[in-house]
Amino acid sequence: MDLNQNTSKKRIFSGVQPSGKLTLGNYLGAIKNWALLQDEYDCIYCVVDMHAITVRQEPAKLRQQTLEVMAQLISCGLDPEKNILFIQSHVSEHAELAWILDCFTMFGELSRMTQFKDKSLKNADNINAGLFTYPSLMAADILLYSSDLVPVGIDQKQHVELARDVANRFNGIFGETFIVPEPYIPKLGAKVMSLSDPARKMSKSDPNANSYILILDQPEDILRKFKRAVTDSDTRIFTGENKDGVNNLINIYATVTGKTTNEVEAEFDGKGYAQFKPAVAEAVIEELRPVREKTEDLLRNKDYLETVYKSGAERASRIASHMLRKVAKKVGFVKKP
Ligand code: ATP
Ligand code: LTN
């Protein structure tokens, strides 16, 4: 099935950076929930390798991670027939529209982006122009597809708001061209915190490998990481203030098992971490097992994977090239013969 602009369904677009291996946070907070949207919406998901090179990447690793993320989108439940799944660098319209949007995005706006400020601090020796104009490329990703909704975490909301401002500015100058997108925070979905510093979110770029669970982690690693997870001196299993570590583990267990926080507290009433931590690990191991096995299968079957991202890029390109032609005409470029 091809997604087309005439359907009454709203369009969803989101991107994942192949800047590392996907974590339990990416899975529970994002991709697992995206799979629930595939019947109700027209969904397009992109592995944003062009965004990833705004910080230094090892080429061989970037290639492998890009394929891994693509495989994981599928193994987490995104059906390649129902969703368009593609790799950003395969659809050149993204770079082309990004350039045009750069010329409608103000230096001051980009300077205010908190991700730019954070990443500049973290990569002080490589504050490149791509890191600065990252949000224009993201705006291009979103606006090329007339996306209505953009599922993102709270950290990306500012970028979606910038995409809205740029869309409105362009529409104001040239007439209705872009759909003005809304950030979309799905109702379901958990914020998963770091296992070593539960005040911070679990993140694939964290230098401490014990802070995150990877979707591809082996069961013994998952068990070891949960056993080492930081909790507090209170040995009882219940949620509360200043109990970030336990709150996080209870939240993970509840999300994976479908139980409420109260049910989890009741289940472990009178029990300690020696019982609770392995139970959380076990639940996560069983949740991730089929995803890991399917990913491993897909990575062994590179031909199938290639068919998916090739057809994804073709379908994406049909939509994107139409929009780019419209934009090129509006800004005054001569029609390509
Ligand atoms: P990085 O470490 O490179 O900043 P990340 O692991 O934080 O990456 P992103 O690639 O920025 O993840 O995010 C992909 C999607 O996963 C986003 O929608 C984001 O909100 C979601 N996500 C990432 N980490 C978590 C988390 N710990 N809990 C819930 N959702 C998360
Ligand atoms: N910046 C996002 C990834 C991303 C994205 C997008 C998300 C790139 N392009 C378009 C939504 C829509 C991130 O780091 N999570």
Side-chain angles (χ1 to χ4, degrees), residues 13-17 34 46 48 51 88 115 119 134 137-139 141-142 150-153 155-156 159-160 201 204:
F13 184 98
S14 197
V16 189
Q17 289 199 62
W34 294 352
C46 178
V48 292
H51 277 112
Q88 188 183 33
Q115 178 177 290
K119 292 206 173 174
Y134 181 114
L137 177 59
M138 181 160 159
D141 297 343
I142 298 168
V150 184
V152 280
D155 58 315
Q156 293 297 316
H159 288 164
V160 180
K201 95 171 179 164
K204 58 176 137 61

Side-chain angles (χ1 to χ4, degrees), residues 14-17 19 22-23 25-26 28-30 34 119 151-156 190-193 201-206:
S14 197
V16 189
Q17 289 199 62
S19 51
L22 296 186
T23 67
N26 298 128
L28 292 179
W34 294 352
K119 292 206 173 174
V152 280
I154 201 82
D155 58 315
Q156 293 297 316
K191 182 157 185 202
V192 181
M193 309 308 284
K201 95 171 179 164
M202 182 180 286
S203 170
K204 58 176 137 61
S205 59
D206 195 315

Side-chain angles (χ1 to χ4, degrees), residues 247-284:
N247 292 347
N248 186 36
L249 296 183
I250 291 180
N251 186 27
I252 293 173
Y253 186 75
T255 309
V256 168
T257 57
K259 292 177 184 167
T260 64
T261 305
N262 287 343
E263 284 166 348
V264 179
E265 286 171 342
E267 186 178 343
F268 291 95
D269 187 25
K271 297 181 181 151
Y273 291 128
Q275 280 142 311
F276 180 54
K277 284 180 167 180
V280 180
E282 203 45 47
V284 169

